[in-house]
Amino acid sequence: MVLAPRLDLRQSQSLVMTPQLQQAIKLLQLSNMELSAFVDAELERNPLLEREEVASEPVPVVEVPRDAVEALRSELPLPDAESPLDTSWADSDSSPGRVTETDGTDLGMVEAGLSMNGGSGGSGGSSRGDFDEDMRGLEETLTERPTLRQHLMEQVGLTFTHSTDRMIAAALVEAIDDAGYLSEPLLGFADQFGCDEARIEAVLKQVQRFDPTGVGARTLGECLALQLAERNRLDPAMQALLDHLPLLAHRDVATLQRICGVDAADMSEMIGEIRALNPKPGLAFERSDVDPVTPDILMHALPDETWILELNPETLPRVLVNNRYHSRVRRQPLSKTDKDYISEQFQTANWLVKALHQRATTILKVASEIVRQQDGFFRYGITHLRPLILRDIAEGVGLHESTVSRVTTAKYIATPRGMLELKYFFTSAIQSADGSAAHSAEAVRYRIKALIDAEKPTEVLSDDKIVDILRADGVDIARRTVAKYREAMRISSSVQRRREKAFGI
């Protein structure tokens, strides 16, 4: 074998993604709001691009006619009457944040107990629903509200006269989190200021008397105790209840009655008083200005049962190439560098216009196929949501699954049943008991929640009983799957629900 340098000529084929193709794929993943920001940046950088102030052509519109969904609709069992357009099901998977105490108490469960039966927690709204319920006026939006720390620092200056106490109080206020709790140990403050822990504790006691009541607490029990003390309701029985909040989180009311030495009526009244308290008093000053979700696609129904889909013209960026400016510049005597720059920007501008048009066409194509295959959901409700995967849509529109995945990322559609993300319509399948068409996992989750919401206090459904009911309806589901769906919806077990209904909590 001879080892010597030599030159070989080989011919091969390979697929290479150009930078423009990579950018076009990236545009598919952007929502209309994100795309607007991208286009604004391109308008500032490219002198041959200009915004189209008046649309020269209408927004792309796609119709999903009635005959396009007849074949799919024939597979669906028609209900006795059309379901009302209720979007409450869209919130079934929403859950509040959970905070765990150092002793293992699940504050998320305790707060759920505090907010039941008319408490301050409530079920809340959804970003998919009506945005008009909590819309603030323009004046309130423009007014800068003080933060929790600013509010507390004002009270520090009015309360403490000694400079050292004022510095300790200021350090304590800086350590209080947005919920109003002090998580740092007092020993660290004592080392910082070179004093004993008793002095830090004395300053903290005064801080805990600030507004809002309950701020500066180190545990949930201490926060509730501060609020009860202000109302002159912190008696020994109530203190015993606060010392055993884990039992309240598990709805073990019978054990709490024995510990507190009260009967069922008194215990119910005590729980009602705790439920009226605020477990996170600092959040009243930390309201964040969250922008509402803006739909990328608008969906309307015509009298002839035809669905109309269009891109939202309010957020759809429109640009065009300034050909007159390009012609005028080309007639000027330019250097080679300038000519290359103008040529490159002209090509980039033309590519962007074509890419935006292709993006709009692809989004409408994918959305129309989703609407066609989920026609039963839009007409009759979540119980008719079909199992759907990316491959089903990709085969229907002739695109790759990865392209469908990019198109449905961060895209929202405003429908007669609320505002939904396109990803929402892709759900796994649960086999039918008789071997017929499979059921959507989301529809089964809704069915489980409906069964639990409708149960009587004397007939609380166990997971096994729910399995029997669903199998009688043709859904082949395991008990562990029912338990998994129930826990994902933050629904307690049958034992805990029986305790709640027995004691009215």
Side-chain angles (χ1 to χ4, degrees):
M1 180 177 179
V2 180
L3 298 178
R6 65 179 184 178
L7 295 176
D8 290 333
L9 182 62
R10 297 180 181 179
Q11 186 176 8
S12 62
Q13 293 182 345
S14 61
L15 182 63
V16 179
M17 294 182 62
T18 63
Q20 290 185 341
L21 180 58
Q22 295 177 6
Q23 189 67 56
I25 294 176
K26 181 180 179 181
L27 292 181
L28 285 176
Q29 297 179 266
L30 303 179
S31 65
N32 281 358
M33 301 299 291
E34 295 170 336
L35 184 65
S36 298
F38 172 80
V39 170
D40 290 341
E42 289 294 320
L43 287 170
E44 294 180 1
R45 187 178 63 177
N46 195 332
L48 297 180
L49 275 175
E50 63 178 355
R51 189 180 300 277
E52 187 178 5
E53 300 297 342
V54 180
S56 58
E57 58 182 13
V59 178
V61 176
V62 172
E63 291 188 7
V64 184
R66 179 178 180 178
D67 55 359
V69 296
E70 285 297 336
L72 290 175
R73 196 182 306 171
S74 61
E75 303 175 5
L76 301 173
L78 297 181
D80 297 334
E82 289 193 0
S83 305
L85 298 182
D86 181 16
T87 60
S88 60
W89 48 267
D91 298 329
S92 60
D93 58 347
S94 62
S95 58
R98 303 173 74 90
V99 184
T100 304
E101 275 284 2
T102 55
D103 60 356
T105 305
D106 191 340
L107 301 190
M109 295 180 63
V110 174
E111 290 175 30
L114 301 183
S115 62
M116 298 175 71
N117 294 337
S120 60
S123 60
S126 174
S127 60
R128 304 166 179 163
D130 188 2
F131 300 121
D132 294 335
E133 296 180 0
D134 191 29
M135 293 295 290
R136 288 172 288 158
L138 179 61
E139 296 81 5
E140 185 178 355
T141 303
L142 297 177
T143 303
E144 182 179 359
R145 299 181 57 188
T147 64
L148 175 64
R149 291 176 180 82
Q150 291 173 344
H151 182 66
L152 295 177
M153 287 302 297
E154 292 178 358
Q155 300 175 72
V156 168
L158 298 174
T159 303
F160 298 95
T161 57
H162 196 280
S163 58
T164 302
D165 292 343
R166 189 183 298 113
M167 288 189 295
I168 294 175
L172 293 173
V173 167
E174 289 296 328
I176 293 176
D177 60 22
D178 294 341
Y181 286 85
L182 178 65
S183 57
E184 298 184 14
L186 299 186
L187 182 59
F189 295 100
D191 295 338
Q192 177 182 353
F193 292 97
C195 59
D196 55 8
E197 193 171 346
R199 184 170 185 177
I200 305 295
E201 182 77 31
V203 174
L204 177 61
K205 291 298 182 183
Q206 292 182 277
V207 172
Q208 290 177 344
R209 298 170 61 182
F210 287 176
D211 177 74
T213 306
V215 72
R218 288 157 288 185
T219 62
L220 175 62
E222 186 177 18
C223 177
L224 301 178
L226 292 171
Q227 299 178 54
L228 290 170
E230 185 185 46
R231 303 183 183 189
N232 197 24
R233 288 293 299 125
L234 189 60
D235 52 30
M238 187 66 77
Q239 184 62 57
L241 176 58
L242 296 179
D243 292 338
H244 297 83
L245 284 179
L247 295 177
L248 179 59
H250 292 86
R251 276 76 171 179
D252 193 354
V253 182
T255 304
L256 286 174
Q257 286 182 220
R258 293 194 300 269
I259 294 175
C260 299
V262 297
D263 55 17
D266 290 338
M267 178 56 63
S268 179
E269 182 181 354
M270 292 166 62
I271 294 177
E273 293 181 12
I274 291 181
R275 189 167 56 238
L277 303 177
N278 186 358
K280 296 180 179 180
L283 294 184
F285 292 84
E286 299 294 336
R287 182 166 65 179
S288 59
D289 297 327
V290 180
D291 294 332
V293 176
T294 304
D296 302 274
I297 307 166
L298 304 178
M299 177 180 177
H300 311 282
L302 296 182
D304 60 349
E305 298 186 357
T306 298
W307 298 115
I308 298 295
L309 299 181
E310 63 175 336
L311 295 180
N312 189 353
E314 300 296 331
T315 59
L316 185 64
R318 289 180 170 273
V319 295
L320 50 81
V321 181
N322 194 337
N323 289 295
R324 288 184 299 177
Y325 178 71
H326 176 251
S327 300
R328 186 168 64 252
V329 170
R330 288 188 60 184
R331 290 195 296 265
Q332 303 296 326
L334 301 175
S335 63
K336 183 179 183 304
T337 302
D338 294 338
K339 290 181 179 179
D340 293 341
Y341 171 77
I342 294 299
S343 177
E344 179 184 354
Q345 296 304 315
F346 183 70
Q347 294 178 3
T348 302
N350 279 296
W351 165 83
L352 181 59
V353 173
K354 294 179 181 179
L356 291 177
H357 177 74
Q358 182 64 34
R359 174 185 179 274
T361 304
T362 305
I363 291 177
L364 283 178
K365 184 186 299 184
V366 171
S368 62
E369 181 64 17
I370 292 176
V371 171
R372 187 185 73 85
Q373 298 208 29
Q374 296 291 4
D375 177 75
F377 162 77
F378 294 110
R379 298 186 187 277
Y380 308 119
I382 191 174
T383 55
H384 289 76
L385 188 67
R386 295 166 52 92
L388 193 65
I389 58 177
L390 294 174
R391 187 186 302 113
D392 299 333
I393 302 299
E395 293 175 353
V397 298
L399 297 174
H400 195 271
E401 293 181 36
S402 61
T403 303
V404 176
S405 177
R406 292 185 178 96
V407 169
T408 55
T409 298
K411 307 294 190 308
Y412 288 84
I413 178 172
T415 74
R417 292 191 175 272
M419 189 181 305
L420 302 170
E421 189 178 10
L422 291 182
K423 289 287 188 183
Y424 173 82
F425 300 101
F426 297 94
T427 61
S428 57
I430 296 179
Q431 294 300 321
S432 178
D434 56 2
S436 60
H439 301 269
S440 168
E442 189 67 23
V444 174
R445 281 162 54 98
Y446 174 78
R447 176 65 172 152
I448 293 173
K449 185 177 185 299
L451 289 173
I452 294 177
D453 291 342
E455 64 186 4
K456 300 178 181 179
T458 57
E459 299 178 2
V460 177
L461 300 176
S462 63
D463 291 345
D464 291 325
K465 182 62 176 177
I466 295 176
V467 169
D468 296 337
I469 295 175
L470 292 178
R471 287 182 176 175
D473 292 340
V475 182
D476 186 13
I477 189 171
R479 180 187 178 278
R480 63 178 179 274
T481 305
V482 172
K484 180 180 69 173
Y485 288 172
R486 175 179 52 76
E487 292 172 357
M489 293 184 289
R490 303 294 295 272
I491 299 177
S492 55
S493 64
S494 59
V495 176
Q496 291 184 348
R497 297 201 308 274
R498 189 175 293 108
R499 291 173 180 171
E500 296 169 8
K501 296 179 184 296
F503 290 93
I505 61 174

